[in-house]
Amino acid sequence: MNEDDPIYLDHNATTPILAEAVDAMLPYLQEHFGNPSSSHVYGQRAHAALERAREQVATLIKCQPDEVIFTSGGTEANNLAIRGVVSANTPNAHVITSVIEHPATARPCAWLEQQGHRVSRISVDQDGRLRLAMVEAALAEVAGAVPGLALNGHRDHRLPNTLNVRFPRVAGPALLSLATDVAASTGSACHEGHDQPSPVILAMGLSPDQAMGSVRLTLGRSTNETNVLRAADILASAWSRLTPVGRPTNNKV
């Protein structure tokens, strides 16, 4: 990114590839370009590199190499994990999820429900935290059905480096169209271009009109404090141009 480019605060949508990753990949985008499934030398080189990468990932996450499956992205991975595991191993599964999942998670769960599996969806409070009583009830039911089952994990449902800000009396897309020096979004990339409020914000108890004023700001490795402070000024200025009657008192969702 150049110095004159807008401040990039949409890292949840996509983020720049690290230079180290580019250097590691470049030989296989140029001279070692073979299909790893091919039997000739070009394919063998690519296959060997793929298996080395699989072993490195396995070492990093402490599993066996044959347990590492590379996919094209998050949506495919979520479908493989949710639909694949349940369909392959559990005739009558009980899936516990939340009402604020990304569509890449919510839709596979809905598909499983259509296939006859049970799906429990945990609601959230106004801060986006899972409702503890519902979590405990659902987990207790699962634990009771599986003797010796140990339950791990966190009940909070937060994404690091992610902030959702609500600007009163304006629509998020209109605000961002004025704040051209900030590259941000109103929600997940798969929802961009659809004039609908975020289901996550609605699940937290806001009205559709309130939710339409939300802007999602997500940070990455390249983001610094100067970027954040400058972006705040730009967004506040754009909001003032849209609503000259005054400043909001507290606009954090």
Side-chain angles (χ1 to χ4, degrees), residues 7-16 161 176 182-189 192 216-220 223:
I7 299 168
Y8 189 74
L9 295 179
D10 200 18
H11 286 268
N12 280 15
T14 191
T15 195
N161 300 322
L176 292 177
V182 173
S185 66
T186 56
S188 63
E192 284 296 295
R216 189 188 70 176
L217 308 173
T218 55
L219 284 60
T223 311

Side-chain angles (χ1 to χ4, degrees), residues 219-231:
L219 284 60
R221 287 176 177 267
S222 60
T223 311
N224 56 44
E225 184 177 1
T226 300
N227 296 149
V228 173
L229 295 176
R230 176 62 179 149

Side-chain angles (χ1 to χ4, degrees), residues 181-203:
D181 285 333
V182 173
S185 66
T186 56
S188 63
C190 62
H191 287 149
E192 284 296 295
H194 299 280
D195 192 20
Q196 298 292 331
S198 165
V200 173
I201 303 302
L202 294 177

Side-chain angles (χ1 to χ4, degrees), residues 90-103:
T90 313
N92 297 296
H94 182 186
V95 179
I96 302 173
T97 183
S98 79
V99 297
I100 58 173
E101 296 296 338
H102 188 280

